[in-house]
Amino acid sequence: MEAMNGSANIGPGGLVSGMDHAAFENAFGLMTDSFEGYEGINNHMGSRLTQDKDAMARLMQILKKRGLYFVDSKTIDTSVAARQAAAAGIPYAERDVFLDHQDTEAFVAAALVKTEAVAKRRGYAVAIGHPKDHTINALKRWIPTLKAKGIELVPVKAVLTVPQANAATPPSSAEVIAVQPETQKTEDAEEAVPEKFRPDLSLPTPQIWLPEQPAQSPAP
C-alpha cells in the first residue's frame, strides 16, 4: 500500500490513493489472486493509504465481498483502517508491537518482552516482524519460554475484533483511542467502548499472534 514516502517501491499491484474504483479493485485482485489458502490480509507499508477514509472504505467493501479480515500494521498512528473495518462489519486486528524496526537480536528481544507485557495486561497482543535472521534467531530462543509464562501463540483470527454485521456507525474517535494498543484503560474508558467493538478478552491465557505464513499477507 502507498506510503508517505512517495518514492517507496510498493511493488506491482500496489494500492495507491487516487485510483478509481475499477483500478483499485483490479490491483487488489492482482495481488490476492496470486495466492490461495488465506483468510485475511495485512498491509505492508501503507502509511498514506491507511489514512485515506475513502480508500479504506473501498478496501473494506472488497474484503467484505471476499469474506476476508484485515490486520492493520499501524504504520502510522492516524490510520483509519480499523474504524472503516468496524463500519463495514469486517473482522479486524491492529498491530501492537513491531519486532524488528532495528535489525539486531537485542532489539527484537526487547520488543518480545514488550509484546509479553501487552498480552499479560490486555489478554492478547499482535506482534509483526519480518523473516530476518536476527528476528528468527530471537524467536527460536523466545518461543520455548512461553509455556512457563502462561502465554500461547495463536492464529490472528483468534484475537480479531468482530463488529456486529449490521453495525450502523463506526466507533467515535474517543472509542477508537480507548481500545488502542498499549493504552492503559481506566474502568470508565472501558465502559465508554460499546461491547460490539471490544476485542474478545475471555481467552484463557494471554494470546500473542506472530505472522506464520507469508501467504496470509498477500499485499506487497
Side-chain angles (χ1 to χ4, degrees):
M1 291 186 183
E2 185 179 15
M4 291 298 293
N5 177 4
S7 63
N9 180 13
I10 61 174
L15 302 176
V16 299
S17 55
M19 282 181 162
D20 61 29
H21 182 80
F24 194 97
E25 190 157 9
N26 287 341
F28 184 89
L30 177 65
M31 293 184 293
T32 54
D33 292 346
S34 300
F35 298 85
E36 59 183 22
Y38 57 89
E39 299 178 340
I41 71 164
N42 161 241
N43 60 296
H44 178 61
M45 296 193 283
S47 53
R48 181 181 297 277
L49 197 71
T50 55
Q51 295 183 86
D52 186 324
K53 178 181 176 181
D54 292 339
M56 288 298 98
R58 179 180 293 167
L59 174 64
M60 299 311 162
Q61 290 304 316
I62 295 173
L63 296 183
K64 191 169 188 175
K65 287 194 297 184
R66 292 176 175 244
L68 300 172
Y69 60 75
F70 185 73
V71 177
D72 187 2
S73 289
K74 289 299 292 287
T75 53
I76 194 163
D77 288 341
T78 49
S79 169
V80 298
R83 179 176 171 84
Q84 293 306 314
I90 300 298
Y92 66 92
E94 295 179 288
R95 182 272 311 162
D96 295 305
V97 180
F98 276 129
L99 295 179
D100 45 17
H101 266 323
Q102 297 178 21
D103 190 15
T104 68
E105 288 190 36
F107 184 91
V108 177
L112 290 171
V113 171
K114 187 176 182 181
T115 303
E116 290 181 26
V118 176
K120 289 177 179 178
R121 183 176 72 240
R122 192 182 60 194
Y124 72 96
V126 177
I128 291 180
H130 301 83
K132 301 175 180 178
D133 289 343
H134 289 148
T135 306
I136 293 170
N137 290 336
L139 287 171
K140 284 180 177 178
R141 288 196 300 273
W142 179 69
I143 290 173
T145 71
L146 296 182
K147 185 175 181 179
K149 298 172 182 176
I151 294 175
E152 179 184 7
L153 292 181
V154 297
V156 70
K157 64 183 179 182
V159 296
L160 294 173
T161 296
V162 183
Q164 291 183 355
N166 61 349
T169 58
S172 69
S173 297
E175 291 164 350
V176 172
I177 292 171
V179 296
Q180 283 297 322
E182 302 181 46
T183 298
Q184 186 66 43
K185 293 180 283 190
T186 64
E187 185 174 347
D188 289 342
E190 180 74 23
E191 287 300 315
V193 182
E195 184 175 355
K196 63 187 177 183
F197 294 118
R198 295 181 195 168
D200 181 5
L201 303 184
S202 62
L203 298 168
T205 58
Q207 311 288 310
I208 295 175
W209 174 72
L210 296 168
E212 296 177 353
Q213 298 181 6
Q216 291 182 319
S217 302

